[in-house]
Amino acid sequence: MNTIPDSKARVLILGAGAIGSFYGSLLDAAGADVSVVCRSEYDIVSNSGFSITSRKLGDRVFHPAQTLRSASDYRGGAPDYLVVSVKVVEGTDRAALIRPALGPDTVIVLIENGVEIEAEIAEAFPGHELISALAFVQVARTAPGKVAHYAYGDLTFGNYPSGVSERARRFAALLEAGGIRCTLTEKVSTARWHKCMWNGVFNPISVLGNALDTGHILGGAEGEALVRSAMQEVAAVAAAAGHPLPEQLAGQLVEGTRKAPPYKTSMALDYENRRPMETEVILGNAVRAGRREGVAIPVLESLYALMKMVERKLESEAGSPGAVSP
Amino acid sequence: MNTIPDSKARVLILGAGAIGSFYGSLLDAAGADVSVVCRSEYDIVSNSGFSITSRKLGDRVFHPAQTLRSASDYRGGAPDYLVVSVKVVEGTDRAALIRPALGPDTVIVLIENGVEIEAEIAEAFPGHELISALAFVQVARTAPGKVAHYAYGDLTFGNYPSGVSERARRFAALLEAGGIRCTLTEKVSTARWHKCMWNGVFNPISVLGNALDTGHILGGAEGEALVRSAMQEVAAVAAAAGHPLPEQLAGQLVEGTRKAPPYKTSMALDYENRRPMETEVILGNAVRAGRREGVAIPVLESLYALMKMVERKLESEAGSPGAVSP
C-alpha cells in the first residue's frame, strides 16, 4: 500500500474489549493518538493500560492517550476516527454511544460482527463517512486489562454502502504500519454476507448442540447436510439483497473447516461462559433480510427460533438463585 | 368394555423398566401370570419384586411369576402375550430379543414410543399377531426395583397394520381390570403419527435448547412458529404415508401445551441425565418417512441433524475421562 499512514490521527475507541484494545494498540504503535472509553475496567486501564500478549506481534503494554468513562469526556477536539467495537447484543444502542464523541468531520469505523449492521448508523449520522470493518482475529480478554492475541488479525473493510475513500486508505496504512494486513473492498456489504455464510451457520449450530466444536458439527453426514442447507439459504438471501456470492463458496468453507483442527465458535464460547451472544447481528439480521426479500429460509428460521429459546432460558437462569454470574 | 378379561393369560415382559413393570403390575393385579426379563436388576427384583408407588392406583409390590435373566429361561410353555417395552435406541435389536420367547401362538405387544416402529417386527415374525400400543403415562424408575407412577396411565392400541382382534380386546379388558383405561383403535399407525405431532417436535426442541421446558419453548413468537412449522411437516409426512391427521390438531396441541404447567419432555430428561435418547424412533423414523415419501421437511431435517450432533458429542464425552457416567 502506497498511501501515507495517518500517523497524526486522533482515534477514539468505543468499547475497548479484546477487539478494540487490540486494534487500538496497533494504531498506537503506528504513532496515532489513541484514546479509549472503557467503563467496567476504567481503574485498571487508566493506571496500567492494557497488557497484550501476542506470539505473532510481540507482547506490549498499550497506554491510551486518554482513558475515559464516557465519550463526552474526550478532550482536545473531536477524533478523526471513532472506532466502534462494542459487542452488539439485544438492547445495545450504538447511536447513543456514538453521538457524544462525534465532531463534524469524524469518520465512524465499525469493527463488528454480523450482517446488515450499518444502515442504522448511516441513517442516524447521514453527514458522516462510515467505514465498515470485519475482523479476522482470535483475541480474548483474559483478565481485567489483559488481552491475549492468539492468531490472525487481518481486517477487511471499505466504506458503507460501497467504495473505498482516501481516509479509509490512510486508516488501512496506519493499521498496516501497526503490524497487520488490511484488505480494502469496494463492496463491504458483500464481504459481510460472505462471512455470514460461515458465521451465521456454524455459530448457532455450535450453541444448539450445547457448545459443539466444528469437529462434532461436521462429524456426520447429517451435520454437513445441515450446514450446507443453511449456507444455501444464506447465499439465497445475500443474492436477493443484491450481494451474490460465488457458487463454490459453501463447499470451500465446509472443506476449509473440515481441514482445520476442531474448534469452538465465538458464540459457543460465549454460551459456555454465559456471556450474551451476538445472535441478532450474526443470525437475526440474516433472517430478517430473508423475510424482507421473500426468500424461503426454513433452516435459518429454525436455528434462529432455537437460539431465541436458548437465550430466554439463559436469561431466566441468570435471574434465578444459584445461576452462574455473568 | 364387555369382553371377558384374559385372566388366565400368561404374559412375559421384555424390558421391565418403568413402563414394563408398571403395566406388568396391572396385569398381575388383574390375575394374569406375569413374568419379566430383567438383566441389570435381576437380583433385587427376584428377591423383592418391584415396589410401585402411585397416588392414583395405590402403592403395591409386584412379584413376577418368573424373574428371568433371559427370555430363553421362560418355563411352562410359551407366553400368550409377549410385551416388548424395551427402550429403542441405536443398536437395539428387538427381533433378537423377541425370538427366543415366542411360541407359535404368542401375540407380540409393542408398548413403545415412536412412529413406524412395527414393520421391522412384522417382517421378522410374519405368522404372529402384532399389537402396537402407545402409552400415555408419567412413570419413572427411581431406584433399582423401584418405580414411581406420577400421572395418567392410559394405553391406546390396535393391531398392526390395522384392525382390532379379539385377543387385543381381551388384553384391553385385562388391563382395564387392572385399573387403567384402554382406547382401541382400528388405525394404530395413524394414532402413532398423531402422537408424533407432539413428540417428534417438542422432544428434540427441548433437547436442543439444553433441556428446555415447554414454557421456554412456547414463551416467544419464534418458538411457537418453529413448533407449528415442524408440526406442519409431520402432518404432511403422515398424510403422504397414508395417515391424514385432523387439520386442527397442531393448534390443539399447541394450546393444550400452553395451558399445562411447563414441563420437561422425556427426551429432555434423558438428555439431562445422560441417558440414551429415543431420537431414531421418535424423530428419525419420521424423517426417513418424509424422505421416502418425497415430502419437503427442512425443519425436521434440521432438528434431526442437530440431535445427531448432540448425540455424537455425548458419546465422545462418555468415552472421555471426567464424563458423567451413564
Side-chain angles (χ1 to χ4, degrees):
Chain A
M1 207 174 290
N2 296 318
T3 311
I4 296 160
D6 202 351
S7 57
K8 294 293 160 213
R10 289 165 50 85
V11 180
L12 177 58
I13 296 178
L14 285 181
I19 294 267
S21 54
F22 173 69
Y23 288 108
S25 75
L26 302 182
L27 295 164
D28 171 70
D33 178 275
V34 185
S35 300
V36 303
V37 175
C38 77
R39 290 175 187 182
S40 55
E41 301 185 3
Y42 173 83
D43 288 335
I44 193 157
V45 173
S46 55
N47 285 328
S48 321
F50 292 98
S51 298
I52 299 174
T53 58
S54 171
R55 190 173 290 184
K56 186 174 175 183
L57 298 170
D59 298 349
R60 67 186 72 192
V61 177
F62 160 43
H63 288 284
Q66 302 176 46
T67 300
L68 310 167
R69 290 186 194 274
S70 159
S72 55
D73 297 337
Y74 191 60
R75 294 290 170 259
D80 300 308
Y81 299 94
L82 182 67
V83 174
V84 183
S85 53
V86 293
K87 190 171 170 183
V88 181
V89 297
E90 268 195 273
T92 308
D93 184 348
R94 292 176 297 159
L97 294 171
I98 289 169
R99 191 165 289 114
L102 222 49
D105 200 35
T106 302
V107 180
I108 303 168
V109 183
L110 305 177
I111 307 183
E112 291 178 18
N113 283 322
V115 74
E116 297 204 343
I117 60 152
E118 305 94 342
E120 179 194 339
I121 303 304
E123 283 161 24
F125 308 106
H128 286 267
E129 187 178 329
L130 181 56
I131 292 174
S132 178
L134 287 156
F136 295 81
V137 64
Q138 276 184 20
V139 70
R141 173 193 166 282
T142 51
K146 299 205 184 302
V147 170
H149 172 227
Y150 298 114
Y152 313 109
D154 296 358
L155 284 178
T156 294
F157 62 89
N159 289 91
Y160 180 85
S162 62
V164 177
S165 70
E166 179 56 26
R167 295 183 74 183
R169 286 183 203 285
R170 295 180 67 194
F171 193 66
L174 191 62
L175 282 159
E176 296 214 327
I180 58 146
R181 278 207 323 193
C182 293
T183 304
L184 292 168
T185 172
E186 298 275 337
K187 296 179 174 181
V188 70
S189 294
T190 304
R192 285 199 175 273
W193 279 108
H194 187 124
K195 197 172 180 192
C196 178
M197 277 279 267
W198 198 97
N199 264 347
V201 172
F202 277 92
N203 270 295
I205 290 175
S206 67
V207 171
L208 296 172
N210 198 8
L212 297 174
D213 65 32
T214 52
H216 296 121
I217 294 173
L218 294 178
E222 298 88 359
E224 178 169 340
L226 176 67
V227 164
R228 286 179 181 268
S229 299
M231 285 183 168
Q232 223 162 42
E233 291 184 5
V234 172
V237 175
H243 304 288
L245 300 172
E247 282 266 341
Q248 66 280 16
L249 180 57
Q252 287 168 352
L253 292 174
V254 168
E255 287 319 306
T257 305
R258 191 187 289 293
K259 279 179 195 146
Y263 64 100
K264 284 186 179 169
T265 67
S266 62
M267 215 184 255
L269 294 172
D270 283 343
Y271 174 72
E272 280 194 317
N273 293 294
R274 297 296 183 264
R275 295 187 297 247
M277 296 181 283
E278 294 184 304
T279 309
E280 289 305 333
V281 287
I282 288 179
L283 177 60
N285 284 0
V287 166
R288 281 180 284 274
R291 293 174 187 164
R292 183 189 72 221
E293 304 292 341
V295 176
I297 48 167
V299 176
L300 297 181
E301 289 275 13
S302 299
L303 297 177
Y304 181 59
L306 290 167
M307 285 300 302
K308 298 312 286 179
M309 290 182 224
V310 169
E311 289 185 332
R312 187 168 306 112
K313 189 188 179 208
L314 291 179
E315 276 165 30
S316 70
E317 286 174 353
S320 65
V324 178
S325 61
Chain B
M1 206 172 290
N2 296 318
T3 311
I4 296 159
D6 202 352
S7 58
K8 294 293 160 217
R10 286 164 53 85
V11 180
L12 177 59
I13 297 178
L14 284 182
I19 295 267
S21 55
F22 173 68
Y23 288 108
S25 76
L26 302 181
L27 294 164
D28 172 69
D33 177 275
V34 185
S35 300
V36 303
V37 175
C38 78
R39 290 175 186 182
S40 55
E41 301 185 2
Y42 173 84
D43 288 335
I44 193 159
V45 173
S46 56
N47 285 327
S48 321
F50 292 97
S51 297
I52 300 173
T53 58
S54 171
R55 190 174 289 184
K56 186 175 175 182
L57 298 171
D59 298 349
R60 66 187 70 193
V61 177
F62 160 43
H63 288 284
Q66 302 176 46
T67 300
L68 310 168
R69 288 187 195 274
S70 160
S72 56
D73 297 336
Y74 191 60
R75 294 290 169 260
D80 299 309
Y81 299 94
L82 181 67
V83 173
V84 182
S85 53
V86 293
K87 191 171 169 182
V88 181
V89 297
E90 267 195 274
T92 307
D93 184 348
R94 291 177 297 160
L97 294 172
I98 290 170
R99 192 165 287 113
L102 220 50
D105 201 36
T106 302
V107 179
I108 302 168
V109 183
L110 305 177
I111 306 183
E112 291 178 19
N113 282 322
V115 75
E116 297 204 344
I117 59 153
E118 305 94 342
E120 179 193 338
I121 303 304
E123 282 160 26
F125 308 106
H128 287 268
E129 186 176 330
L130 181 56
I131 293 173
S132 177
L134 287 155
F136 296 82
V137 65
Q138 277 186 20
V139 70
R141 172 191 167 284
T142 52
K146 300 206 184 302
V147 170
H149 171 227
Y150 298 113
Y152 313 108
D154 296 358
L155 284 179
T156 294
F157 61 90
N159 289 91
Y160 180 85
S162 63
V164 177
S165 70
E166 179 55 27
R167 294 183 73 182
R169 284 184 204 285
R170 294 181 67 194
F171 193 65
L174 191 63
L175 283 158
E176 296 214 326
I180 58 144
R181 278 207 322 192
C182 293
T183 303
L184 293 169
T185 172
E186 299 276 337
K187 296 178 173 180
V188 69
S189 294
T190 304
R192 285 198 176 273
W193 278 107
H194 187 125
K195 197 173 179 191
C196 179
M197 278 278 268
W198 198 97
N199 263 347
V201 173
F202 276 92
N203 271 295
I205 290 175
S206 66
V207 171
L208 296 171
N210 199 8
L212 297 174
D213 65 32
T214 53
H216 296 120
I217 294 172
L218 294 178
E222 297 89 0
E224 177 168 340
L226 176 66
V227 164
R228 285 179 181 269
S229 299
M231 285 183 168
Q232 223 161 42
E233 293 184 5
V234 172
V237 176
H243 304 287
L245 300 172
E247 283 266 344
Q248 67 279 15
L249 180 57
Q252 287 169 353
L253 291 174
V254 168
E255 287 319 307
T257 305
R258 191 186 290 291
K259 278 179 196 147
Y263 64 100
K264 285 187 178 169
T265 67
S266 61
M267 215 185 255
L269 294 172
D270 282 344
Y271 175 71
E272 280 194 318
N273 292 293
R274 298 295 183 263
R275 294 186 298 245
M277 296 181 283
E278 295 184 302
T279 309
E280 289 305 333
V281 287
I282 288 179
L283 178 60
N285 285 359
V287 165
R288 280 180 284 274
R291 292 174 188 165
R292 183 188 71 220
E293 305 292 341
V295 176
I297 48 169
V299 177
L300 296 181
E301 289 275 13
S302 299
L303 298 177
Y304 181 61
L306 290 166
M307 284 300 302
K308 298 312 286 178
M309 290 181 224
V310 169
E311 289 185 332
R312 187 168 307 111
K313 190 189 179 208
L314 290 179
E315 276 165 29
S316 70
E317 286 174 352
S320 66
V324 178
S325 60

